Amino acid sequence: MSDDPRQSASPAYATDRLQRALLGAARAEDPAVRARAAGKVRRWERVLAGMAAGRITVGSRVPVAGTPAWVTLEVVTGGFATGRHLADAPLSEEESRRVAALPADVPGDTDRARLNHWYLGDAGQAELLAALRTGHYRVDIPEEAALAVVALLLDKGFTEAALDLLDELRPFLDRLRFTPHFQPTAALSGTAVRLATVADVTRSLDAVVVPQQVALMNRTLGVWNPLYDRLVALWCRTVDGDLPTLDDEGALHGGRPGTRLPPDWAAERAAWLADFERARAEHGFTGKHAHRKGNFTRLHHALTACPADFTALTARDLGWVRRALAGTLTHHGAPGSAERAAVRADQAETARTPTTAAFARVLTHRLRHYPADGGIPALEPIAAEVSEADTEGIPPGSAVPPQLVRKTARALEAPPEELVAQGVITSADVLATVLPQLTSRLTAANFADSVAAGLHERLYTAFRRRRGLLLLNLEQQVRFEELPWVSALAVLRGSGTGTVAARRALEQATKLTLTAFPHAITPNPLVTELRALAAQAGLKPPLVQEVAADIFTGTFTPQWHAAALVASEFTAGTLYASYYNLPPVTRWSEPTRSRFTLRWGKKVAEDFTHLCEERAREAGRSSYPSGNGTLLEQSQILTTHNLAVLVHALDLGDWLREQAPDLAARAFSGAVRLLAQRPAHHHAELIQVKNAAYAWRQAIFFLGFCDPITQRARVTALHGEVAEAGIGDRFAPVLEGLVHVLGGGRFTEAGTTPSGTGRRFLGWAAYRHWYIAGR
């Protein structure tokens, strides 16, 4: 395999994704699933076509030729741009009506150009300003706020800034939508966030359908069984004498059908056949009764063949009718008998059991009382037991299924801490998706003008929905401030009134992340939001992001060097420094070392990179990508992957020491829980061990701030957890290594105890990981 990280950015990756999408579309039975797969196919086809034609340069922050960095691109899995601009969308119905009514003198070669130009006129600007002042607008893509910013700047007297912005937008006025959606929007306030809107949750609930097997069973119990019993009763009336039965040996006994003709039998026969046809037209004749050799089918066919009497039936036909009757009467009793009534009563009770889909309809009906683009202030009224006012035939007092309550809770508006406690926010990645709602309000607090603040808030939230690009050579994602209309709007910014609130929010987000998910490293989207909050708070902590091994280009920015300096200073004398053999603070400030150099025209941390390479030898250096992984893991170890930086920047040392015993215990449990799982394939094994080692590293950090008695007690408990999880034998070297370091020992350069039986736990290995090899 090539050492070039651009391999993951090659057409081979895109081709593989295209093939997967094609396979998914071919195998999908559900039309909605097939449509989504077909959409993926079209997007990957655009990626490959753009790469082949040279229109798309994968790895660049401006991957699409002729497109500035501020344009929001369609981006697919892996960070590949398809070449499509998301704001280059067909006109909506409302926009089409507006274009049709425009005066003839509005300039523009396209409908989009004419519409954009109209909003630059007096009437258009007035409409934009009215929407901004009332809050009746929605921004889905950042570009949709551009002309609103122009109108606001002109209204505030910043003509030059507005004209400069227009100069940047002008080349795209004929293609891109630069206006918001003129709709009322439910705004959040205070510290509340939500994971989804009411409309999102409603769509999710609408997708809940009765499984095919359950629907088939309900039709059988509610429709076909009653018809079958009537059919059996109809034929039983034609038996002279005892009804047919089967003995234990399977022999037939009793009278024969077709030996007597009740006077009203023909009318009842006709009525039954009419009911059968109606049921078949409404429900379709499927299930066990529809089997061509089943009793229902044999009795039905025989009934059809004798419109007046039984002369048209052969002795063989009547023999099959007799055997069919004997089978059902023996097993379920005669029609009208207590035995058969009991069976049918149980089946009817099963059929009356409300389906999950019926409960989902109840919830969607309750949600109609809330704004579609907003959330719900409390979960209890939505998740309450079914009452008589609810429909769908569910008995009053029935409890809503927990899985539907969880779906609905995604629209709950509450502080992040409450959503974590209720299980709505289940990971740091999910927390990262809602934090922009809070960050946007705090950054908007710098605007004294409420209209500008509201626009900035919605613009920020829309920007955070942009998907990141795959970047190489230390390229950085486009920053919010790089959007021309964002930088132009800055002239209305005040003096930073949100500094104190931003610091408080940053502290709360940090504490929440560490306490709720102590076993997980901070994901990149969350790091982005923490940086934004820190900047708003006037802080500049050197936060670092996780780098993928397959796109790592072999060096780091000075940010990593700064983070390592903080980590060495903050963890000095702790278990973490001893376990991972962190260098002293002086290592990062020795004047004889070449700390920084230039690469690709950017400053890089050469000394930090060299140290990572030296330390990675413990795992065995190899070729791409595992060799990159071993080096990147060392970069995370040296920086504590933001733990020390965040705690130090916010002065949370006392808080950390108080929380450390619980955080360490839960992080260790997370590592053990991960290792106890049985992965489905080798790649899953690699991810399992890597994530377990990351959780272990977090636990070692927290344990380092516990007192010695707590440390020893925690390790004793850990031995029990490992044994209970069934991984005691394989994980014993790691436990021995931890005990060795707690006792004052150190690992050798090979990462083992002097005896060679204990070892340091790392997640990456150059070749086959020792933990996987020991399975």
Side-chain angles (χ1 to χ4, degrees):
M1 182 174 289
S2 169
D3 291 335
D4 185 1
R6 289 182 180 272
Q7 182 176 31
S8 61
S10 71
Y13 178 89
T15 301
D16 176 68
R17 287 287 174 173
L18 174 60
Q19 290 173 343
R20 292 189 193 186
L22 287 168
L23 189 61
R27 290 178 174 176
E29 296 182 1
D30 185 272
V33 175
R34 190 182 305 114
R36 287 195 295 270
K40 290 181 180 179
V41 170
R42 289 190 295 271
R43 289 190 288 273
W44 282 111
E45 286 176 339
R46 287 198 290 269
V47 170
L48 285 167
M51 293 174 70
R55 296 190 303 271
I56 296 176
T57 305
V58 179
S60 169
R61 75 195 303 263
V62 283
V64 180
T67 300
W70 54 260
V71 172
T72 304
L73 301 173
E74 181 181 55
V75 179
V76 294
T77 304
F80 285 73
T82 67
R84 189 172 79 87
H85 305 161
L86 290 184
D88 186 3
L91 267 62
S92 66
E93 292 185 9
E94 178 186 350
E95 288 178 316
S96 296
R97 288 193 295 270
R98 174 58 60 83
V99 169
L102 289 179
D105 60 349
V106 175
D109 296 330
T110 67
D111 287 345
R112 178 65 69 189
R114 298 188 69 223
L115 194 58
N116 282 331
H117 278 98
W118 187 83
Y119 280 107
L120 291 173
D122 291 341
Q125 289 184 46
E127 183 177 343
L128 286 170
L129 290 172
L132 294 181
R133 288 165 183 153
T134 59
H136 287 194
Y137 67 98
R138 190 183 80 241
V139 178
D140 294 333
I141 303 170
E143 286 87 323
E144 294 171 353
L147 293 188
V149 171
V150 172
L152 189 58
L153 291 173
L154 291 172
D155 182 63
K156 299 296 182 181
F158 295 96
T159 306
E160 185 176 353
L163 293 177
D164 289 342
L165 174 56
L166 272 177
D167 285 341
E168 290 222 44
L169 301 179
R170 200 175 307 281
F172 299 92
L173 287 175
D174 63 331
R175 297 171 51 196
L176 304 186
R177 175 172 184 153
F178 287 126
T179 54
H181 302 266
F182 297 100
Q183 298 172 356
T185 302
L188 289 162
S189 61
T191 61
V193 297
R194 60 171 175 258
L195 198 58
T197 65
V198 168
D200 295 331
V201 170
T202 300
R203 282 191 292 269
S204 177
L205 292 171
D206 286 340
V208 178
V209 296
V210 179
Q212 185 175 0
Q213 289 183 325
V214 174
L216 181 61
M217 178 193 72
N218 287 341
R219 283 197 298 271
T220 298
L221 299 183
V223 178
W224 301 117
N225 276 0
L227 275 171
Y228 181 50
D229 288 349
R230 286 174 56 195
L231 180 61
V232 171
L234 198 57
W235 277 109
C236 284
R237 295 185 62 201
T238 70
V239 177
D240 190 12
D242 295 335
L243 295 176
T245 57
L246 296 172
D247 62 22
D248 293 340
E249 309 301 327
L252 270 167
H253 300 278
R256 296 177 178 277
T259 55
R260 59 186 298 267
L261 184 65
D264 59 347
W265 192 83
E268 289 192 18
R269 168 189 173 279
W272 187 92
L273 289 174
D275 291 342
F276 172 81
E277 291 302 328
R278 279 193 294 270
R280 179 161 61 179
E282 182 177 353
H283 302 287
F285 190 36
T286 56
K288 66 176 184 178
H289 289 316
H291 193 278
R292 63 186 183 89
K293 292 185 178 180
N295 290 343
F296 192 116
T297 302
R298 293 186 186 280
L299 294 178
H300 171 230
H301 285 172
L303 190 70
T304 306
C306 52
D309 53 30
F310 310 112
T311 56
L313 297 176
T314 65
R316 186 170 182 272
D317 293 334
L318 290 171
W320 278 116
V321 171
R322 186 186 183 209
R323 177 164 288 279
L325 291 176
T328 186
L329 297 177
T330 301
H331 290 99
H332 301 299
S337 67
E339 179 184 1
R340 198 175 190 94
V343 171
R344 294 311 188 208
D346 288 343
Q347 292 177 341
E349 182 64 27
T350 300
R352 284 193 296 270
T353 301
T355 64
T356 304
F359 280 105
R361 301 294 85 76
V362 168
L363 295 185
T364 57
H365 180 75
R366 292 174 176 178
L367 287 172
R368 290 193 185 99
H369 300 289
Y370 298 88
D373 63 336
I376 54 177
L379 191 58
E380 289 75 15
I382 308 298
E385 292 180 346
V386 174
S387 67
E388 293 182 358
D390 295 308
T391 55
E392 304 299 329
I394 302 175
S398 299
V400 177
Q403 66 270 30
L404 296 184
V405 175
R406 288 193 295 271
K407 279 181 179 290
T408 308
R410 290 169 56 83
L412 180 62
E413 293 180 349
E417 295 84 356
E418 183 177 336
L419 296 185
V420 168
Q422 295 205 26
V424 179
I425 296 177
T426 55
S427 69
D429 293 277
V430 177
L431 176 61
T433 65
V434 301
L435 201 55
Q437 299 169 28
L438 183 58
T439 311
S440 64
R441 268 167 271 158
L442 293 169
T443 55
N446 286 334
F447 291 85
D449 182 80
S450 60
V451 173
L455 179 57
H456 190 276
E457 178 182 336
R458 297 181 196 192
L459 180 51
Y460 182 92
T461 304
F463 177 78
R464 287 301 183 217
R465 287 194 286 264
R466 282 176 54 140
R467 296 191 65 175
L469 293 163
L470 187 158
L471 299 177
L472 301 173
N473 302 337
L474 302 182
E475 293 271 21
Q476 294 185 346
Q477 300 288 345
V478 176
R479 300 186 307 277
F480 180 56
E481 297 77 14
E482 290 184 72
L483 273 58
W485 49 99
V486 172
S487 59
L489 193 61
V491 298
L492 300 178
R493 188 185 297 272
S495 57
T497 57
T499 300
V500 175
R503 183 186 176 95
R504 189 184 309 118
L506 176 61
E507 182 176 324
Q508 291 174 341
T510 298
K511 289 180 177 179
L512 180 61
T513 301
L514 297 185
T515 55
F517 318 109
H519 61 286
I521 64 174
T522 47
N524 289 350
L526 183 57
V527 173
T528 298
E529 286 309 306
L530 294 178
R531 280 179 179 166
L533 285 172
Q536 175 74 359
L539 301 174
K540 294 184 179 180
L543 297 173
V544 296
Q545 294 192 325
E546 184 180 15
V547 181
D550 56 354
I551 63 170
F552 178 57
T553 50
T555 192
F556 299 90
T557 65
Q559 192 91 339
W560 295 80
H561 180 280
L565 172 61
V566 174
S568 289
E569 182 177 17
F570 189 78
T571 63
T574 69
L575 172 66
Y576 187 92
S578 301
Y579 188 89
Y580 290 109
N581 192 28
L582 254 60
V585 176
T586 54
R587 171 66 172 73
W588 304 111
S589 56
E590 293 176 2
T592 57
R593 295 186 178 276
S594 175
R595 285 183 285 173
F596 306 115
T597 186
L598 290 178
R599 189 171 179 184
W600 305 300
K602 304 175 182 68
K603 185 182 287 188
V604 297
E606 183 177 5
D607 185 37
F608 180 84
T609 304
H610 288 165
L611 183 58
C612 289
E613 291 172 344
E614 291 173 9
R615 294 169 59 91
R617 294 186 187 126
E618 176 184 328
R621 291 287 282 134
S622 71
S623 61
Y624 164 93
S626 60
N628 284 350
T630 62
L631 193 151
L632 288 168
E633 184 172 18
Q634 290 302 322
S635 74
Q636 292 182 341
I637 289 172
L638 289 172
T639 62
T640 69
H641 198 72
N642 300 318
L643 292 176
V645 169
L646 285 168
V647 175
H648 175 265
L650 295 168
D651 195 21
L652 298 178
D654 291 341
W655 174 86
L656 177 62
R657 279 181 280 275
E658 180 182 341
Q659 300 290 327
D662 177 63
L663 298 180
R666 292 194 289 127
F668 276 130
S669 296
V672 172
R673 188 169 56 250
L674 282 167
L675 292 174
Q677 297 172 359
R678 300 297 297 180
H681 46 77
H682 180 60
H683 183 66
E685 283 184 315
L686 297 176
I687 295 175
Q688 173 197 40
V689 173
K690 181 193 73 170
N691 289 339
Y694 291 177
W696 181 265
R697 186 177 71 236
Q698 302 260 126
I700 295 293
F701 177 86
F702 297 133
L703 193 63
F705 291 90
C706 299
D707 61 75
I709 295 176
T710 302
Q711 289 178 341
R712 289 193 293 271
R714 182 63 254 159
V715 173
T716 299
L718 184 59
H719 276 81
E721 289 184 40
V722 168
E724 186 177 351
I727 60 172
D729 292 340
R730 293 199 310 277
F731 205 62
V734 176
L735 295 179
E736 181 180 339
L738 176 57
V739 171
H740 172 72
V741 176
L742 279 174
R746 289 295 184 97
F747 290 115
T748 67
E749 289 186 2
T752 65
T753 58
S755 65
T757 53
R759 64 167 67 234
R760 181 160 39 213
F761 187 28
L762 298 178
W764 283 86
Y767 303 102
R768 188 169 177 82
H769 196 283
W770 62 266
Y771 186 84
I772 295 175
R775 285 192 187 279

